[in-house]
Amino acid sequence: MARGDQLDTYRSKRDFGRTGEPSGDGGQERPRRSKPRFVVQKHDASRLHYDFRLEVDGVMKSWAVPKGPSLDPSVKRLAVPTEDHPLDYRTFEGTIPAGEYGGGTVLVWDAGTYRNTTEKKGEAVPMGDAIDHGHVSFELSGKKLTGRFALTRFRREGQDGRGAKAAWLLVKEDDDRARPGSDVVADQPDSVKTGRSLDDVAAGRRPSRRSPRRPAS
Ligand code: MN
């Protein structure tokens, strides 16, 4: 499928003369088949939320997670699908001007690579198919999030006949990286890319020298 088609919705929502977000035009990074990337962006928009994005077939498939991910397998986090984002969005950190779509501050809360572990009857299911079917499991290798997670759709768009949005749950699977009782979004609030807090990014403070950690790429 042409990348342009997949990003039409993304582009239609934004004025690239006003926002510093990537347009995904040209210069688009090449997709990676063997070690696809993920990112979680903390986004202080009209309401604080976390944008969870997985590299799938040349775009970042995206869900907005109001409360953010958890490492506690007993915690189920609502995840609402949003439009596909360009691959280079994964490193975007900065401020979207007030009045623009998604206006507010964005930081790279976690980043790394993932491995698709979705199976059906013992057979591996490609990511795109798994998302279409409404269930995907994957193993994250990030700085804050590691181990197996699952995203599962529990409501399709419009399923209630009143135009409800599609809704999924993001859950940590119970493996040796699970941390019952922990609160990773509260304990580790800052950017893995620059070490900055939301306030730092909003104020345009430059990254400190001591925290130049870049996400795995
Ligand atoms: Mn967002």
Side-chain angles (χ1 to χ4, degrees):
M1 191 192 300
R3 306 284 170 246
D5 299 338
Q6 278 178 281
L7 294 175
D8 278 353
T9 305
Y10 172 84
R11 293 197 185 98
S12 71
K13 290 172 181 282
R14 291 169 174 81
D15 177 350
F16 296 106
R18 301 182 69 87
T19 178
E21 296 165 286
S23 66
D25 281 324
Q28 167 82 312
E29 290 180 66
R30 270 187 293 161
R32 289 215 313 211
R33 200 170 291 257
S34 62
K35 279 203 165 181
R37 279 92 36 126
F38 84 95
V39 67
V40 183
Q41 282 157 315
K42 186 176 180 179
H43 186 182
D44 188 14
S46 48
R47 200 181 287 182
L48 180 72
H49 61 275
Y50 295 76
D51 290 299
F52 188 90
R53 312 189 199 280
L54 295 167
E55 178 180 358
V56 180
D57 299 335
V59 295
M60 299 303 288
K61 288 284 174 190
S62 300
W63 290 260
V65 182
K67 292 184 175 177
S70 174
L71 295 173
D72 182 338
S74 73
V75 172
K76 296 177 170 63
R77 289 284 156 86
L78 176 67
V80 178
T82 58
E83 74 276 16
D84 296 347
H85 278 50
L87 292 184
D88 50 359
Y89 203 92
R90 141 190 102 71
T91 57
F92 176 76
E93 183 166 290
T95 299
I96 301 166
E100 298 304 304
Y101 178 73
T105 307
V106 176
L107 65 71
V108 178
W109 183 80
D110 198 19
T113 60
Y114 77 89
R115 188 170 67 87
N116 178 15
T117 56
T118 315
E119 289 187 352
K120 193 170 186 182
K121 295 180 180 140
E123 299 270 324
V125 180
M127 283 296 282
D129 293 346
I131 291 172
D132 287 347
H133 298 158
H135 177 75
V136 56
S137 60
F138 45 87
E139 185 176 347
L140 298 180
S141 301
K143 297 218 163 67
K144 298 171 181 172
L145 303 180
T146 57
R148 285 181 291 109
F149 288 76
L151 272 164
T152 306
R153 184 172 57 212
F154 66 92
R155 188 176 71 212
R156 286 175 180 274
E157 188 171 339
Q159 186 175 295
D160 64 349
R162 295 192 300 260
K165 285 186 175 179
W168 297 54
L169 292 173
L170 174 65
V171 182
K172 177 77 190 79
E173 293 184 357
D174 196 1
D175 60 13
D176 62 355
R177 313 314 296 259
R179 295 289 178 269
S182 71
D183 186 351
V184 66
V185 295
D187 294 345
Q188 301 185 66
D190 299 335
S191 168
V192 294
K193 181 180 176 183
T194 61
R196 293 184 295 176
S197 67
L198 274 177
D199 285 348
D200 291 336
V201 177
R205 265 175 227 126
R206 303 186 69 86
S208 77
R209 242 164 216 283
R210 280 180 300 118
S211 52
R213 299 176 71 188
R214 294 186 55 82
S217 57

